[in-house]
Amino acid sequence: MPTDHFSTLVAAHQAMQLGCYFSAVDPYPLGNSQYLWSDIVPDPVWNFAVCHDLSTPVVDWILSSASSHGRTPAIFWPRAGLSGAPSLKGVAISEVPERWMTADLNQIDLPVRPAPVSRYEMLSSASPGASFERVFGQLFTSDSVNEHFRAVYVPALRKAVLSSDTEVVHLVAYHEDEPIGCASAYIWNGLAGLYNVGTIAPYQGKRIGSWASLQVLCHARSAGATEGFLQCEVATHVERMYTSIGFAAVATPVIGVLNNGERD
């Protein structure tokens, strides 16, 4: 992994989500690599190794660690091209790119509330509560994706605990009495990580997501954060939305999913 500011963002991501989407971190006994895993969420984006090299012993340890937790092996790597590593010869790899973006929080403005939002509430507890969960379980037009979120992501949020050096603010937006949007900002060491941004399907396209994002980031700024960061899918309307509110791309790492989990 690189040793620049991006490494700080990766460390912040880990610290902010440990106790929520990440359950624990297993250290590699012979070096600086780590295996981050979730006992609730099976998706590779929350179960992967962060490693500094792809030597055969490290890859063997990744395969063993993933197997011990019942997860598909995956590697977080700062750039595309994992399949070129000699230690991964014979492994079928699917590389999923992530866009990491940052924003100077001193340059963002408190937004005007969108018309559909009649009121909102902000919570500072680790678990965001029932209204937030209700939104989070109906963000997609696909019933199967919504069911997956209700089955694994909502329970992870419900059981969340914060480390002593992490703060959080959760926002729930309402249209009359119906919760319709949500966002979270986790604050650690002067950084604000933006997570859980979404709007239920009937209200999408009305700038509720960008408004909610800016609201929680402004709160994070008042709590001492100076830089915001996030991860999103590459070259999508989501990335364009975040660009429009002041974020800029700083890295495009990949989650390399080792589909067959073994080498020739």
Side-chain angles (χ1 to χ4, degrees), residues 1 8 41 54 68 86 92 97 99 106 141 147 173 182 190 193 201-202 204 227 239 252:
M1 294 295 297
T8 301
V41 184
L54 294 173
S68 70
R99 189 79 82 210
N106 292 317
T141 56
E147 179 56 36
C182 60
Q204 291 173 6
E227 181 180 15
E239 182 179 354
T252 308

PDB file of all heavy atoms in Angstrom, residues 1 8 41 54 68 86 92 97 99 106 141 147 173 182 190 193 201-202 204 227 239 252:
ATOM      1  N   MET A   1       0.838  -1.198   0.000  1.00  0.00           N
ATOM      2  CA  MET A   1       0.000   0.000   0.000  1.00  0.00           C
ATOM      3  C   MET A   1       0.874   1.249   0.000  1.00  0.00           C
ATOM      4  O   MET A   1       1.981   1.238   0.516  1.00  0.00           O
ATOM      5  CB  MET A   1      -0.886   0.027   1.250  1.00  0.00           C
ATOM      6  CG  MET A   1      -1.915  -1.083   1.307  1.00  0.00           C
ATOM      7  SD  MET A   1      -3.140  -0.945   0.002  1.00  0.00           S
ATOM      8  CE  MET A   1      -3.902   0.603   0.429  1.00  0.00           C
ATOM      9  N   THR A   8      -3.622   7.280   5.208  1.00  0.00           N
ATOM     10  CA  THR A   8      -4.332   7.856   6.347  1.00  0.00           C
ATOM     11  C   THR A   8      -5.836   7.700   6.180  1.00  0.00           C
ATOM     12  O   THR A   8      -6.549   7.398   7.142  1.00  0.00           O
ATOM     13  CB  THR A   8      -3.968   9.342   6.511  1.00  0.00           C
ATOM     14  OG1 THR A   8      -2.567   9.471   6.695  1.00  0.00           O
ATOM     15  CG2 THR A   8      -4.697   9.959   7.691  1.00  0.00           C
ATOM     16  N   VAL A  41     -21.912  -8.875   7.738  1.00  0.00           N
ATOM     17  CA  VAL A  41     -22.010  -8.539   6.317  1.00  0.00           C
ATOM     18  C   VAL A  41     -21.036  -9.404   5.528  1.00  0.00           C
ATOM     19  O   VAL A  41     -19.823  -9.312   5.726  1.00  0.00           O
ATOM     20  CB  VAL A  41     -21.698  -7.047   6.075  1.00  0.00           C
ATOM     21  CG1 VAL A  41     -21.902  -6.705   4.610  1.00  0.00           C
ATOM     22  CG2 VAL A  41     -22.580  -6.161   6.960  1.00  0.00           C
ATOM     23  N   LEU A  54       2.501  -8.805  -2.168  1.00  0.00           N
ATOM     24  CA  LEU A  54       1.722  -9.960  -2.611  1.00  0.00           C
ATOM     25  C   LEU A  54       2.612 -11.192  -2.705  1.00  0.00           C
ATOM     26  O   LEU A  54       2.507 -11.994  -3.629  1.00  0.00           O
ATOM     27  CB  LEU A  54       1.063  -9.663  -3.966  1.00  0.00           C
ATOM     28  CG  LEU A  54      -0.001  -8.572  -3.954  1.00  0.00           C
ATOM     29  CD1 LEU A  54      -0.469  -8.246  -5.360  1.00  0.00           C
ATOM     30  CD2 LEU A  54      -1.192  -8.999  -3.097  1.00  0.00           C
ATOM     31  N   SER A  68     -11.169 -19.090   7.308  1.00  0.00           N
ATOM     32  CA  SER A  68     -11.482 -19.255   8.730  1.00  0.00           C
ATOM     33  C   SER A  68     -12.715 -18.469   9.146  1.00  0.00           C
ATOM     34  O   SER A  68     -13.382 -18.816  10.130  1.00  0.00           O
ATOM     35  CB  SER A  68     -10.283 -18.846   9.585  1.00  0.00           C
ATOM     36  OG  SER A  68     -10.070 -17.444   9.540  1.00  0.00           O
ATOM     37  N   PRO A  86       2.815 -12.762  -9.538  1.00  0.00           N
ATOM     38  CA  PRO A  86       3.163 -14.185  -9.670  1.00  0.00           C
ATOM     39  C   PRO A  86       2.506 -15.068  -8.610  1.00  0.00           C
ATOM     40  O   PRO A  86       2.134 -16.210  -8.891  1.00  0.00           O
ATOM     41  CB  PRO A  86       4.693 -14.178  -9.522  1.00  0.00           C
ATOM     42  CG  PRO A  86       5.107 -12.810  -9.954  1.00  0.00           C
ATOM     43  CD  PRO A  86       4.012 -11.901  -9.501  1.00  0.00           C
ATOM     44  N   ALA A  92      -8.638 -16.941 -10.248  1.00  0.00           N
ATOM     45  CA  ALA A  92      -9.602 -16.123 -10.981  1.00  0.00           C
ATOM     46  C   ALA A  92      -9.937 -14.896 -10.142  1.00  0.00           C
ATOM     47  O   ALA A  92     -10.465 -15.020  -9.032  1.00  0.00           O
ATOM     48  CB  ALA A  92     -10.865 -16.919 -11.291  1.00  0.00           C
ATOM     49  N   PRO A  97     -13.417  -1.691  -8.902  1.00  0.00           N
ATOM     50  CA  PRO A  97     -12.814  -0.406  -8.545  1.00  0.00           C
ATOM     51  C   PRO A  97     -13.705   0.411  -7.618  1.00  0.00           C
ATOM     52  O   PRO A  97     -14.929   0.330  -7.673  1.00  0.00           O
ATOM     53  CB  PRO A  97     -12.649   0.295  -9.901  1.00  0.00           C
ATOM     54  CG  PRO A  97     -13.736  -0.282 -10.750  1.00  0.00           C
ATOM     55  CD  PRO A  97     -13.908  -1.710 -10.290  1.00  0.00           C
ATOM     56  N   ARG A  99     -14.008   4.507  -6.160  1.00  0.00           N
ATOM     57  CA  ARG A  99     -13.520   5.879  -6.227  1.00  0.00           C
ATOM     58  C   ARG A  99     -13.474   6.449  -4.808  1.00  0.00           C
ATOM     59  O   ARG A  99     -14.494   6.496  -4.112  1.00  0.00           O
ATOM     60  CB  ARG A  99     -14.413   6.754  -7.096  1.00  0.00           C
ATOM     61  CG  ARG A  99     -13.816   8.115  -7.355  1.00  0.00           C
ATOM     62  CD  ARG A  99     -12.752   8.045  -8.450  1.00  0.00           C
ATOM     63  NE  ARG A  99     -13.364   8.080  -9.771  1.00  0.00           N
ATOM     64  CZ  ARG A  99     -12.846   7.496 -10.836  1.00  0.00           C
ATOM     65  NH1 ARG A  99     -11.715   6.807 -10.747  1.00  0.00           N
ATOM     66  NH2 ARG A  99     -13.446   7.582 -12.010  1.00  0.00           N
ATOM     67  N   ASN A 106     -13.927  23.289   4.898  1.00  0.00           N
ATOM     68  CA  ASN A 106     -14.019  24.740   5.043  1.00  0.00           C
ATOM     69  C   ASN A 106     -14.594  25.406   3.799  1.00  0.00           C
ATOM     70  O   ASN A 106     -14.917  26.596   3.826  1.00  0.00           O
ATOM     71  CB  ASN A 106     -12.643  25.318   5.353  1.00  0.00           C
ATOM     72  CG  ASN A 106     -12.140  24.917   6.722  1.00  0.00           C
ATOM     73  OD1 ASN A 106     -12.892  24.941   7.690  1.00  0.00           O
ATOM     74  ND2 ASN A 106     -10.875  24.520   6.810  1.00  0.00           N
ATOM     75  N   THR A 141     -34.674  -0.053  -6.042  1.00  0.00           N
ATOM     76  CA  THR A 141     -35.860  -0.520  -6.765  1.00  0.00           C
ATOM     77  C   THR A 141     -35.910  -2.039  -6.815  1.00  0.00           C
ATOM     78  O   THR A 141     -36.945  -2.616  -7.109  1.00  0.00           O
ATOM     79  CB  THR A 141     -35.875   0.043  -8.189  1.00  0.00           C
ATOM     80  OG1 THR A 141     -34.655  -0.321  -8.856  1.00  0.00           O
ATOM     81  CG2 THR A 141     -36.002   1.560  -8.177  1.00  0.00           C
ATOM     82  N   GLU A 147     -33.809  -6.518   0.385  1.00  0.00           N
ATOM     83  CA  GLU A 147     -33.856  -7.604   1.359  1.00  0.00           C
ATOM     84  C   GLU A 147     -32.463  -7.911   1.902  1.00  0.00           C
ATOM     85  O   GLU A 147     -32.293  -8.179   3.095  1.00  0.00           O
ATOM     86  CB  GLU A 147     -34.464  -8.854   0.723  1.00  0.00           C
ATOM     87  CG  GLU A 147     -34.539 -10.051   1.662  1.00  0.00           C
ATOM     88  CD  GLU A 147     -35.299  -9.756   2.940  1.00  0.00           C
ATOM     89  OE1 GLU A 147     -36.294  -8.998   2.901  1.00  0.00           O
ATOM     90  OE2 GLU A 147     -34.884 -10.273   4.004  1.00  0.00           O
ATOM     91  N   ALA A 173     -34.104  12.221   7.272  1.00  0.00           N
ATOM     92  CA  ALA A 173     -34.990  13.234   6.692  1.00  0.00           C
ATOM     93  C   ALA A 173     -36.405  12.671   6.578  1.00  0.00           C
ATOM     94  O   ALA A 173     -36.584  11.488   6.272  1.00  0.00           O
ATOM     95  CB  ALA A 173     -34.482  13.636   5.308  1.00  0.00           C
ATOM     96  N   CYS A 182     -31.369   9.415   4.455  1.00  0.00           N
ATOM     97  CA  CYS A 182     -30.458   9.239   5.585  1.00  0.00           C
ATOM     98  C   CYS A 182     -29.024   9.521   5.154  1.00  0.00           C
ATOM     99  O   CYS A 182     -28.697   9.516   3.962  1.00  0.00           O
ATOM    100  CB  CYS A 182     -30.564   7.827   6.162  1.00  0.00           C
ATOM    101  SG  CYS A 182     -30.155   6.504   5.001  1.00  0.00           S
ATOM    102  N   GLY A 190      -9.777  14.450  12.995  1.00  0.00           N
ATOM    103  CA  GLY A 190      -9.911  15.579  12.079  1.00  0.00           C
ATOM    104  C   GLY A 190     -10.484  15.239  10.727  1.00  0.00           C
ATOM    105  O   GLY A 190     -10.627  16.126   9.872  1.00  0.00           O
ATOM    106  N   GLY A 193     -15.755  10.856   7.662  1.00  0.00           N
ATOM    107  CA  GLY A 193     -16.092   9.860   6.656  1.00  0.00           C
ATOM    108  C   GLY A 193     -17.585   9.865   6.402  1.00  0.00           C
ATOM    109  O   GLY A 193     -18.387   9.753   7.332  1.00  0.00           O
ATOM    110  N   ALA A 201     -36.663   5.038  -2.846  1.00  0.00           N
ATOM    111  CA  ALA A 201     -36.823   5.133  -4.296  1.00  0.00           C
ATOM    112  C   ALA A 201     -37.819   6.195  -4.766  1.00  0.00           C
ATOM    113  O   ALA A 201     -37.516   6.951  -5.704  1.00  0.00           O
ATOM    114  CB  ALA A 201     -37.197   3.760  -4.865  1.00  0.00           C
ATOM    115  N   PRO A 202     -39.003   6.335  -4.176  1.00  0.00           N
ATOM    116  CA  PRO A 202     -39.956   7.326  -4.707  1.00  0.00           C
ATOM    117  C   PRO A 202     -39.477   8.778  -4.620  1.00  0.00           C
ATOM    118  O   PRO A 202     -40.009   9.646  -5.318  1.00  0.00           O
ATOM    119  CB  PRO A 202     -41.197   7.116  -3.828  1.00  0.00           C
ATOM    120  CG  PRO A 202     -41.065   5.730  -3.294  1.00  0.00           C
ATOM    121  CD  PRO A 202     -39.599   5.532  -3.095  1.00  0.00           C
ATOM    122  N   GLN A 204     -36.098   9.738  -4.899  1.00  0.00           N
ATOM    123  CA  GLN A 204     -34.782   9.923  -5.494  1.00  0.00           C
ATOM    124  C   GLN A 204     -34.833  10.930  -6.636  1.00  0.00           C
ATOM    125  O   GLN A 204     -35.863  11.146  -7.254  1.00  0.00           O
ATOM    126  CB  GLN A 204     -34.234   8.571  -5.967  1.00  0.00           C
ATOM    127  CG  GLN A 204     -33.883   7.655  -4.812  1.00  0.00           C
ATOM    128  CD  GLN A 204     -33.487   6.253  -5.231  1.00  0.00           C
ATOM    129  OE1 GLN A 204     -33.364   5.965  -6.416  1.00  0.00           O
ATOM    130  NE2 GLN A 204     -33.283   5.371  -4.262  1.00  0.00           N
ATOM    131  N   GLU A 227     -11.529  17.794   6.856  1.00  0.00           N
ATOM    132  CA  GLU A 227     -11.538  17.129   5.550  1.00  0.00           C
ATOM    133  C   GLU A 227     -12.568  16.006   5.560  1.00  0.00           C
ATOM    134  O   GLU A 227     -12.652  15.236   6.521  1.00  0.00           O
ATOM    135  CB  GLU A 227     -10.158  16.553   5.221  1.00  0.00           C
ATOM    136  CG  GLU A 227     -10.085  15.873   3.855  1.00  0.00           C
ATOM    137  CD  GLU A 227      -8.706  15.301   3.560  1.00  0.00           C
ATOM    138  OE1 GLU A 227      -7.892  15.168   4.500  1.00  0.00           O
ATOM    139  OE2 GLU A 227      -8.443  14.987   2.387  1.00  0.00           O
ATOM    140  N   GLU A 239     -21.024   9.434  -8.160  1.00  0.00           N
ATOM    141  CA  GLU A 239     -19.771  10.183  -8.214  1.00  0.00           C
ATOM    142  C   GLU A 239     -20.009  11.608  -8.725  1.00  0.00           C
ATOM    143  O   GLU A 239     -19.439  12.576  -8.202  1.00  0.00           O
ATOM    144  CB  GLU A 239     -18.754   9.476  -9.108  1.00  0.00           C
ATOM    145  CG  GLU A 239     -17.419  10.204  -9.160  1.00  0.00           C
ATOM    146  CD  GLU A 239     -16.378   9.500 -10.021  1.00  0.00           C
ATOM    147  OE1 GLU A 239     -16.638   8.387 -10.496  1.00  0.00           O
ATOM    148  OE2 GLU A 239     -15.290  10.089 -10.210  1.00  0.00           O
ATOM    149  N   THR A 252      -8.199   5.481  -6.938  1.00  0.00           N
ATOM    150  CA  THR A 252      -9.129   4.468  -7.441  1.00  0.00           C
ATOM    151  C   THR A 252      -8.538   3.094  -7.154  1.00  0.00           C
ATOM    152  O   THR A 252      -8.006   2.409  -8.038  1.00  0.00           O
ATOM    153  CB  THR A 252      -9.392   4.639  -8.949  1.00  0.00           C
ATOM    154  OG1 THR A 252      -9.772   5.999  -9.207  1.00  0.00           O
ATOM    155  CG2 THR A 252     -10.524   3.709  -9.413  1.00  0.00           C
TER     156      THR A 252
END
